[in-house]
Amino acid sequence: MTQGNLKYQFSRLSIAEKLIAINVLVFIVERLTTFLLRLPSNSIVQWFELPKDFFDFLVQPWSIVTYSFFHGGFGHLFWNMLLIYFVGRIFLNLFDARRFLNVYFLGVIMGGLFFFVGYNIFPAFFNVNAYLIGASAGASAILIFICAYMPNQEVRLIFFNVKLWYIGAFVVLMDLIQLPASGNAGGHLAHLGGALLGYWYARQLVNGSDIGAGFSRFLDAIVNLFKGSEKKAPLKTVYKSKKRGATTTSKAQYDKQSSQKKIDAILDKISKSGYESLSKAEKDFLFQAGKGD
């Protein structure tokens, strides 16, 4: 498969599938590089993992995000990616890719903060040498966001239906129970941090406030830094083309606003009556809108 075909296939993936592909690629490259160059097992990961020590963190502040792209083994990677895939499909039927990234990466950051703060204020962790890797906090944020946004929506779980809020409550309860009993206390702290972010984000959104708006602007600013070298096309005084372009832009803006109003109305209906209250046409419209983003 040529490079052009790979780019095309990647561009067709949803944002959740792109995130999975990046995580898998990072895992493969890290493992192959370590093996082929006969490097110590943690020689690459140590530059991206989130350390518990404050001064170590100051040396690599990027680790508050990059830790989420590295995993301790195939099982760790597989279960995280499986959760992102299935929950991501539900999420992207309701919201666009930008909001998915907001919830996911804010969950990653909140999970990292829970780990970092927890290991520095609770005496139980003072003498434990630990670091954090894995996408679990982001995956937890997406899952709990969905559970909190439409808590009474029922999903099929093997042989019976169960409400989403039951699933969310069970996941959080299991992390709380396993926090002192397992050897992965840092991971469970991160899960709880991501879950808290997901819940908070969803409830604020139901009340009409998008707490991820500032984070979106921050991401846009970073992207624009890398586009700084691109030259803008010079203005042309071709008045006929300008008029036609203005008409097209106006129509496109009207269509976009009209579509967004319809999406907002459907989301309000979901928050009040659940996903199953939608008609087939409304479900199809949401699905197509999600694919378009």
Side-chain angles (χ1 to χ4, degrees):
M1 187 177 288
T2 64
Q3 183 179 358
N5 285 335
L6 284 174
K7 288 182 178 179
Y8 173 70
Q9 294 298 329
F10 185 78
S11 68
R12 296 185 61 191
L13 300 176
S14 71
I15 189 62
E17 292 167 340
K18 287 177 180 177
L19 191 63
I20 291 170
I22 293 171
N23 273 274
V24 171
L25 180 62
V26 168
F27 181 80
I28 293 173
V29 170
E30 184 268 325
R31 292 302 170 105
L32 279 179
T33 303
T34 301
F35 170 73
L36 293 175
L37 299 182
R38 302 179 73 88
L39 299 174
S41 60
N42 200 43
S43 57
I44 296 176
V45 177
Q46 65 180 341
W47 294 103
F48 303 97
E49 68 194 19
L50 181 63
K52 75 158 194 171
D53 184 79
F54 177 73
F55 293 103
D56 289 341
F57 172 70
L58 288 180
V59 175
Q60 51 187 72
W62 56 82
S63 62
I64 193 67
V65 171
T66 57
Y67 81 85
S68 66
F69 290 100
F70 292 82
H71 291 80
F74 178 76
H76 189 201
L77 173 74
F78 176 79
W79 292 113
N80 278 341
M81 297 306 102
L82 192 67
L83 180 58
I84 290 173
Y85 176 75
F86 283 111
V87 180
R89 290 181 64 181
I90 300 174
F91 190 105
L92 293 170
N93 272 333
L94 302 174
F95 302 103
D96 60 15
R98 178 177 290 264
R99 185 157 288 155
F100 178 91
L101 290 176
N102 286 350
V103 177
Y104 181 84
F105 281 110
L106 285 175
V108 165
I109 293 170
M110 182 68 83
L113 290 175
F114 260 54
F115 163 82
F116 186 78
V117 172
Y119 269 75
N120 284 277
I121 67 171
F122 295 122
F125 305 129
F126 284 175
N127 296 319
V128 179
N129 183 23
Y131 60 87
L132 182 65
I133 56 174
S136 304
S140 293
I142 295 293
L143 171 63
I144 301 303
F145 175 95
I146 291 297
C147 294
Y149 188 79
M150 43 183 191
N152 294 317
Q153 170 63 34
E154 293 187 350
V155 295
R156 191 72 176 175
L157 197 64
I158 308 177
F159 302 116
F160 52 88
N161 292 340
V162 62
K163 291 184 177 180
L164 281 173
W165 82 264
Y166 292 166
I167 296 176
F170 175 78
V171 169
V172 171
L173 181 62
M174 290 303 296
D175 277 316
L176 289 171
I177 291 173
Q178 295 180 75
L179 186 60
S182 75
N184 185 30
H188 293 298
L189 281 172
H191 299 171
L192 292 170
L196 177 62
L197 184 283
Y199 177 83
W200 182 34
Y201 200 130
R203 299 319 300 169
Q204 289 297 308
L205 196 61
V206 168
N207 293 328
S209 176
D210 184 357
I211 64 173
F215 185 70
S216 285
R217 291 192 291 270
F218 173 71
L219 291 180
D220 288 341
I222 293 177
V223 171
N224 289 334
L225 286 177
F226 293 96
K227 290 183 177 180
S229 59
E230 296 181 8
K231 301 288 186 180
K232 289 187 177 181
L235 295 175
K236 297 180 180 180
T237 54
V238 183
Y239 301 104
K240 192 173 182 179
S241 297
K242 182 178 178 183
K243 183 177 180 181
R244 188 184 300 116
T247 303
T248 303
T249 301
S250 177
K251 183 178 184 304
Q253 290 175 342
Y254 174 80
D255 291 342
K256 185 175 181 181
Q257 291 173 356
S258 177
S259 177
Q260 187 59 50
K261 287 181 180 179
K262 187 173 181 180
I263 291 173
D264 291 341
I266 294 175
L267 293 179
D268 286 340
K269 185 175 179 181
I270 292 173
S271 66
K272 293 175 182 177
S273 307
Y275 183 73
E276 291 304 319
S277 66
L278 300 184
S279 66
K280 184 178 184 302
E282 289 171 328
K283 291 178 180 179
D284 290 342
F285 179 81
L286 268 185
F287 178 73
Q288 292 300 326
K291 288 178 64 178
D293 289 316

